[in-house]
């Protein structure tokens, strides 16, 4: 196994900048310079994206930026002791000890165990004190390797969780304070269980576990932890869970197997709070154990905890709805993308009139009995048969658009018990012709009704039936009944009016719509705003026809605009002015040509992450121009994805290319102009100061 840290990966008493971004970029460069990553920018982007989700500063002047990245070739630690501490978001102030953990996307378990063990060591004051006192890089490496080896006996009892495997097993202990007290005949003290988990599962997961166990030990409470990390997890013993008085979820992701804790009083918070305030979380859990009205883990595993966390953070209803809608859209898109491309291929082989023949052909014909009646522009009898099959498969796939949207909106609100009512409400919306809007309303209804039913207190014998029978049955009846009896009609009227308006858009109205869609597609490069515009386009494809081509035109404008940012960054960084871009950006620019041509807007993210105030406005300008040209020229796309490679499904392909080319040039020239002249002059006067100190 390769060495995780070397002297070349250690920097002592250096000024690496004034922000986490500066420090992470520098350490990513150090990792790449030592041949442990293929590129700086890709590693930095992944690490800074992780940092943006949750700050990695922890108490004691420590920060642990970390990530998994495809750019990393071998698991690596890079360490910096800063002469000028940088604020990484810890409550007690800036950090001077920075450990950058870079793990490959497919890191092996042994490396992940070592990385996790290091993270746990960083909450020990003697270890961090020794790091601050070290005088050479070699001494730091020796200290780290000592921490990664078996722990000395003096540390073995630091926390019961250390007795478990570092791979994230449940923290178990033998004679706990609670057990000793019970054995002596005294009243049983409280018992707690906890789950810790973070998105990456390398550092915070294990640090939070150790911090919580240590805090519980100080007050004489038995607390056992299940760490759901990247290096594996061992579930808590069901008997331990059953005996627990309350549960702590210190997590940034969904708890796996949450139903095991059903009915237990629960304290839910981000994983970082388990590191920053473990004592408060333990006290809150003890108080919840004595409170009959305390929030409890629901019996059907719904997202009640996420809602509670949102309330604590002051998250308003709009943010909750946005999360639910984006969940529905993300699960819907595979049905649409695959189905749309199959329909496009069906049109290619069977002709655009295959819609009239498809049902008859797939039922009455086969490869050994090819059709004799088919569209004139089909690729002969074989092409007509294959085209009909592809079209029908695609149409059936696309038919799941509204049910899947509604089903997974309900899932985001009420977890698994919401799926069935959501799909049913979506199917009702599709049957009534309520379309995309009906799916959204049906999904929200089903989700919240399922959530409310799941909160009802029922007899213990009935709880097992709740998630599989009672909640789906009642929520389906209520949500779908409301759609049929009250809401469906008005939504159908609105949907028909919207479709009629879109179909009638010509001239300035169509161009304005193209501008708006182009701006949305380029605003956040695959983020929520981008997804809203894309979902709006794909939702209309089912209503498109030769007589109503507006949905195809909207799809073309959305796809063309989304291709502009990566193509423009590629043009600017590899052709027009390489000097304005780093070597890493130039390499990313080469890849961005293919990503842009394939309609993968995320190809521009490395550029936007490095320079958002210049790249994003320039991208939006080019996207707006492309959307306007596409709509003005009446370009249409029968495929929801694929970019330039689905040319056969694009009407007026020449103007499609022209619109993309013009927008690409506009964005490329704009970003170059902004990089040349839109520069903060004050930066130049500040930067040299640390160098002269």
């Amino acid at each position: 196994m390769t060495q995780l840290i070397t002297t070349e990966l250690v920097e002592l008493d250096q000024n690496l900048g004034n922000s986490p971004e500066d420090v992470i970029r520098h350490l990513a460069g150090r990792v790449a310079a030592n041949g442990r990553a293929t590129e700086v920018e890709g590693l930095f982007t992944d690490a800074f994206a992780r940092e943006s989700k949750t700050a990695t500063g922890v108490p004691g002047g420590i920060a642990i930026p970390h990530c998994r990245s495809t750019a990393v070739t071998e698991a690596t630690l890079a360490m910096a002791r800063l002469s000028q501490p940088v604020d990484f978001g810890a409550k007690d102030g800036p950090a001077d000890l920075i450990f950058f953990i870079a793990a490959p996307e497919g890191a092996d378990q042994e490396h992940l165990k070592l990385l996790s063990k290091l993270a746990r060591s960083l909450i020990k004051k003697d270890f961090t004190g020794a790091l601050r006192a070290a005088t050479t890089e070699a001494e730091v490496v020796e200290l780290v390797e000592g921490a990664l080896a078996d722990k000395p006996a003096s540390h073995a009892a630091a926390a019961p969780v250390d007795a478990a495997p570092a791979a994230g097993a449940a923290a178990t202990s033998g004679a706990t304070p609670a057990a000793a007290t019970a054995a002596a005949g005294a009243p049983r003290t409280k018992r707690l269980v906890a789950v810790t988990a973070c998105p990456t599962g390398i550092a915070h997961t294990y640090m939070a576990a150790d911090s919580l166990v240590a805090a519980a030990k100080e007050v004489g409470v038995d607390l056992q932890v299940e760490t759901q990390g990247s290096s594996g997890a061992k579930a808590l013993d069901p008997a331990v869970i059953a005996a627990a008085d309350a549960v702590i979820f210190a997590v940034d992701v969904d708890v796996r197997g949450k139903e095991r804790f059903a009915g237990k009083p629960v304290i839910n918070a981000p994983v970082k709070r388990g590191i920053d305030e473990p004592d408060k979380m333990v006290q809150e859990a003890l108080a919840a154990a004595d409170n009959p009205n305390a929030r409890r883990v629901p019996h059907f595993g719904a997202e009640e905890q996420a809602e509670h966390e949102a309330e604590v953070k002051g998250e308003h209803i709009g943010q909750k709805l946005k999360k639910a809608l984006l969940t529905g859209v993300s699960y819907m898109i595979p049905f649409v993308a695959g189905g749309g491309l199959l329909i496009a291929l069906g049109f290619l082989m069977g002709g655009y009139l295959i819609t009239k023949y498809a049902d008859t052909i797939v039922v009455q014909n086969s490869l050994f009995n090819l059709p004799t009646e088919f569209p004139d522009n089909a690729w002969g009898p074989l092409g007509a048969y294959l085209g009909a099959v592809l079209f029908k498969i695609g149409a059936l796939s696309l038919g799941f658009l509204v049910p899947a949207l509604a089903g997974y909106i309900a899932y985001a609100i009420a977890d698994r018990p919401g799926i069935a009512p959501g799909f049913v409400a979506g199917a009702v919306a599709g049957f009534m012709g309520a379309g995309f809007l009906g799916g959204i309303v049906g999904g929200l209804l089903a989700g919240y009704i399922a959530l409310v039913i799941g909160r009802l207190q029922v007899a213990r014998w009935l709880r097992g039936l709740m998630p599989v029978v009672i909640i789906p049955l009642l929520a389906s009846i209520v949500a779908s009944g409301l759609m049929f009896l009250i809401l469906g009609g008005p939504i159908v009227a609105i949907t028909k009016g919207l479709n009629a308006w879109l179909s009638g858009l010509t001239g300035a109205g169509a161009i304005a719509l193209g501008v708006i869609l182009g701006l949305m597609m380029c605003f956040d490069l695959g983020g929520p705003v981008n997804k809203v515009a894309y979902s709006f386009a794909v939702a209309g494809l089912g209503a498109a026809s030769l007589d109503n081509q507006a949905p195809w035109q909207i799809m073309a404008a959305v796809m063309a605009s989304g291709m502009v940012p990566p193509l423009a960054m590629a043009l600017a960084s590899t052709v027009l002015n390489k000097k304005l871009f780093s070597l890493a950006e130039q390499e990313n620019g080469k890849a961005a040509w293919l990503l842009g041509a394939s309609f993968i807007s995320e190809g521009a993210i490395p550029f936007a992450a490095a320079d958002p105030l210049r790249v994003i406005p320039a991208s939006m300008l080019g996207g707006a121009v492309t959307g306007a040209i596409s709509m003005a020229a009446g370009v249409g796309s029968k495929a929801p994805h694929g970019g330039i490679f689905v040319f056969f499904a694009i009407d007026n392909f020449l103007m499609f290319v022209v619109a993309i080319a013009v927008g690409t040039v506009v964005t490329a020239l704009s970003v170059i102009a902004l990089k040349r002249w839109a520069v903060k002059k004050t930066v130049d006067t500040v930067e040299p100061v640390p160098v002269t100190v």
Side-chain angles (χ1 to χ4, degrees):
M1 187 164 55
T2 56
Q3 194 173 11
L4 289 173
I5 187 169
T6 65
T7 54
E8 291 78 14
L9 295 166
V10 178
E11 295 195 42
L12 298 180
D13 306 319
Q14 299 294 314
N15 182 349
L16 302 186
N18 300 315
S19 68
E21 182 177 0
D22 295 335
V23 176
I24 293 173
R25 187 183 293 278
H26 182 90
L27 292 177
R30 176 63 67 117
V31 172
N34 280 270
R36 292 169 174 257
T38 56
E39 56 168 329
V40 177
E41 204 59 35
L43 175 54
F44 164 75
T45 299
D46 291 336
F48 194 65
R50 171 65 185 87
E51 188 72 28
S52 300
K53 291 179 181 177
T54 307
T56 57
V58 296
I62 303 164
I64 317 172
H66 57 279
C67 72
R68 287 169 173 261
S69 176
T70 54
V72 178
T73 56
E74 55 184 287
T76 299
L77 301 174
M79 181 269 187
R81 190 172 68 195
L82 305 180
S83 60
Q84 177 179 317
V86 172
D87 186 1
F88 273 79
K91 289 191 174 182
D92 62 347
D96 64 327
L97 288 181
I98 315 297
F99 267 91
F100 180 46
I101 300 177
E105 191 62 41
D108 61 74
Q109 292 297 306
E110 288 305 312
H111 277 128
L112 290 172
K113 288 179 182 179
L114 292 176
L115 293 172
S116 303
K117 184 179 288 188
L118 171 73
R120 305 174 101 151
S121 298
L122 288 173
I123 64 172
K124 295 179 170 59
K125 294 181 179 180
D126 55 348
F127 178 61
T128 55
L131 289 174
R132 288 190 172 94
T135 57
T136 65
E137 290 82 356
E139 190 175 347
V140 169
V141 171
E142 183 179 356
L143 286 168
V144 172
E145 290 181 340
L148 296 178
D150 291 335
K151 296 181 180 179
S154 59
H155 297 303
V161 73
D162 288 341
T172 58
S173 56
T176 62
T181 304
R188 184 178 72 83
T189 57
K190 294 291 188 295
R191 296 178 181 175
L192 304 177
V193 291
V195 175
T196 60
C198 67
T200 309
I202 295 175
H204 287 68
T205 299
Y206 304 97
M207 297 177 72
D210 283 0
S211 298
L212 287 168
V213 172
K217 185 178 180 181
E218 288 183 3
V219 294
V221 173
D222 176 19
L223 186 150
Q224 300 189 40
V225 184
E226 179 179 315
T227 49
Q228 296 184 353
S230 294
S231 56
K234 180 180 178 182
L236 285 166
D237 189 319
V240 172
I241 297 175
D245 297 286
V247 58
I248 295 173
F249 291 152
V251 296
D252 288 334
V253 296
D254 287 339
V255 175
R256 298 195 292 271
K258 186 188 293 184
E259 63 277 1
R260 296 171 295 154
F261 305 92
K264 297 290 182 184
V266 62
I267 300 299
N268 193 302
V271 67
K272 196 167 182 296
R273 189 173 182 235
I275 304 172
D276 295 341
E277 299 178 343
D279 50 345
K280 291 185 179 180
M281 292 195 73
V282 169
Q283 292 299 331
E284 290 171 6
L286 294 174
D290 293 326
N291 182 3
N293 298 318
R295 183 175 294 273
R296 296 175 182 271
V297 179
H299 291 279
F300 53 88
E303 292 299 318
E304 192 172 274
Q305 313 312 324
E307 288 190 356
H308 175 60
E309 181 180 329
E311 292 169 2
V312 172
K313 293 181 178 179
E315 184 178 50
H316 56 72
I317 187 65
Q319 291 172 312
K320 298 175 187 177
L321 290 176
K322 183 185 75 171
K323 288 181 179 179
L325 293 175
L326 288 179
T327 299
V329 169
S330 66
Y331 281 101
M332 174 197 77
I333 285 176
F335 290 100
V336 176
L341 287 171
L342 286 169
I343 288 175
L345 289 170
F347 284 147
L348 175 66
M349 301 182 71
Y352 293 131
L353 296 177
I354 194 64
T355 54
K356 297 180 179 180
Y357 297 85
D359 287 358
T360 302
I361 290 175
V362 296
V363 172
Q364 297 184 359
N365 299 104
S366 68
L367 286 173
F368 307 102
N369 177 28
L370 296 175
T372 56
E373 294 185 11
F374 49 83
D376 294 337
N377 54 350
W379 290 4
L382 179 60
Y385 177 71
L386 294 178
V389 170
L390 291 172
F391 172 82
K392 197 59 186 176
I393 294 173
L396 291 171
S397 175
L398 209 60
F400 285 100
L401 187 156
V402 175
L405 174 68
Y408 286 104
I409 287 175
Y411 167 75
I413 297 170
D415 209 85
R416 284 176 294 178
I419 292 181
F423 265 86
V424 173
V428 170
F431 171 77
M432 298 184 71
F436 186 56
L437 294 177
I440 292 175
V441 173
L444 292 173
L445 274 176
Y448 280 110
I449 290 169
L451 185 64
V452 170
I453 295 173
R455 287 177 173 173
L456 298 176
Q457 296 295 323
V458 298
R460 182 178 295 274
W461 64 268
L462 196 57
R463 291 175 185 173
L465 295 175
M466 290 291 285
V468 295
V469 178
I470 297 175
I471 297 173
L473 174 63
L474 295 180
S476 296
I477 292 173
V478 176
S480 297
L482 287 173
M483 289 295 294
F484 270 126
L485 300 175
I486 300 174
L487 299 173
I491 296 172
V492 170
I494 294 172
T495 300
K496 288 182 177 178
L498 180 61
N499 289 337
W501 174 69
L502 290 174
S503 300
L505 278 177
T506 57
I511 294 172
L513 180 60
V515 169
I516 293 170
L517 292 173
L519 291 171
M520 294 176 70
M521 287 301 295
C522 300
F523 176 73
D524 52 2
L525 304 175
V529 177
N530 173 287
K531 288 292 188 290
V532 168
Y534 180 72
S535 300
F536 170 69
V538 298
L541 285 178
S545 66
L546 292 176
D547 297 327
N548 175 25
Q549 299 190 22
W552 289 337
Q553 293 171 3
I554 291 171
M555 189 71 254
V558 163
M559 185 154 61
S561 300
M563 295 166 66
V564 165
L567 289 174
M569 295 306 107
L571 178 64
S573 62
T574 65
V575 178
L576 297 182
N577 198 328
K578 297 181 181 180
K579 294 181 180 179
L580 291 176
F581 299 87
S582 68
L583 291 175
E585 287 176 323
Q586 292 176 36
E587 290 300 314
N588 286 330
K590 296 175 183 178
W593 284 112
L594 180 59
L595 295 174
S598 305
F599 180 37
I600 301 176
S601 303
E602 289 84 348
I605 286 179
F607 298 89
D611 194 3
L613 296 181
R614 296 177 180 84
V615 171
I616 290 177
S619 297
M620 292 175 67
L621 178 61
V625 170
T626 294
I629 294 174
S630 179
M631 290 296 289
V635 178
S637 174
K638 299 177 181 66
H641 215 290
I644 210 78
F645 300 105
V646 291
F647 60 89
F648 54 85
I650 297 174
D651 299 327
N652 202 350
F653 181 69
L654 176 61
M655 285 307 300
F656 179 74
V657 173
V658 169
I660 295 170
V662 172
T664 297
V665 171
V666 168
T667 292
L669 294 178
S670 298
V671 79
I672 288 172
L674 289 171
K675 283 181 176 289
R676 283 182 177 175
W677 297 300
V679 180
K680 290 183 179 180
K681 299 299 181 183
T682 55
V683 175
D684 295 331
T685 62
V686 174
E687 291 262 297
V689 174
V691 179
T692 58
V693 173

